[in-house]
Amino acid sequence: MHTETATVLPFSQHRDERVAQSDRAGVRLKATRRGRVVLTALAFLLGLLVAAALLLMFEVPSALAGGGAEEPVTLTVEAGDTLWGYADEFAPDGMSEQEFVSEVRSLNHLTTPRVTAGQLIELPALEGASH
């Protein structure tokens, strides 16, 4: 049985490793137009993601979220109208008539639940109202 051996010679190194490090110290990177556009787009998308995360983490009032705040409804009381009738007509789902009447009384600084014809009253603008 005959075996052959090969001699491995090391590759010659043209430079010392320290010289290579010192040559790279003076190199500056310059962004191309395409690179600047990509970096700007990435920064913009990161900003959008952060803003979306903040909106999801914290409850934002509907006025800031773009829903727009509704103004209270001002009505002139007509003969025969009562706060209980307004509660039946304008109270949102899930709110009892008694709670609605109490809300109207506090909003208009009424001492009693009685209203007179010609009186202006404000009804609260609540979501889900069945105007």
Side-chain angles (χ1 to χ4, degrees):
M1 180 174 222
H2 180 52
T3 61
E4 294 183 27
T5 61
T7 306
V8 178
L9 299 174
F11 287 105
S12 62
Q13 293 183 343
H14 294 278
R15 294 185 183 177
D16 190 354
E17 195 172 308
R18 288 175 285 164
V19 174
Q21 290 293 336
S22 66
D23 284 348
R24 298 188 88 188
V27 175
R28 287 186 51 184
L29 294 176
K30 185 175 180 183
T32 61
R33 184 176 190 274
R34 181 179 178 186
R36 288 189 303 266
V37 169
V38 168
L39 285 176
T40 303
L42 286 174
F44 180 73
L45 290 175
L46 181 64
L48 285 178
L49 287 174
V50 168
L54 289 174
L55 286 175
L56 291 175
M57 282 196 301
F58 301 109
E59 291 185 28
V60 178
S62 62
L64 295 178
E70 293 184 23
E71 296 293 322
V73 178
T74 303
L75 294 176
T76 303
V77 177
E78 296 182 15
D81 286 351
T82 63
L83 292 182
W84 296 99
Y86 292 138
D88 186 38
E89 186 177 347
F90 293 102
D93 296 334
M95 180 182 255
S96 70
E97 291 178 352
Q98 184 175 6
E99 291 172 332
F100 186 81
V101 169
S102 176
E103 183 73 26
V104 171
R105 284 182 60 192
S106 67
L107 183 63
N108 292 286
H109 309 291
L110 300 174
T111 56
T112 66
R114 293 184 182 194
V115 288
T116 58
Q119 181 180 4
L120 289 175
I121 61 168
E122 286 186 13
L123 301 178
L126 302 171
E127 289 184 19
S130 60
H131 296 261

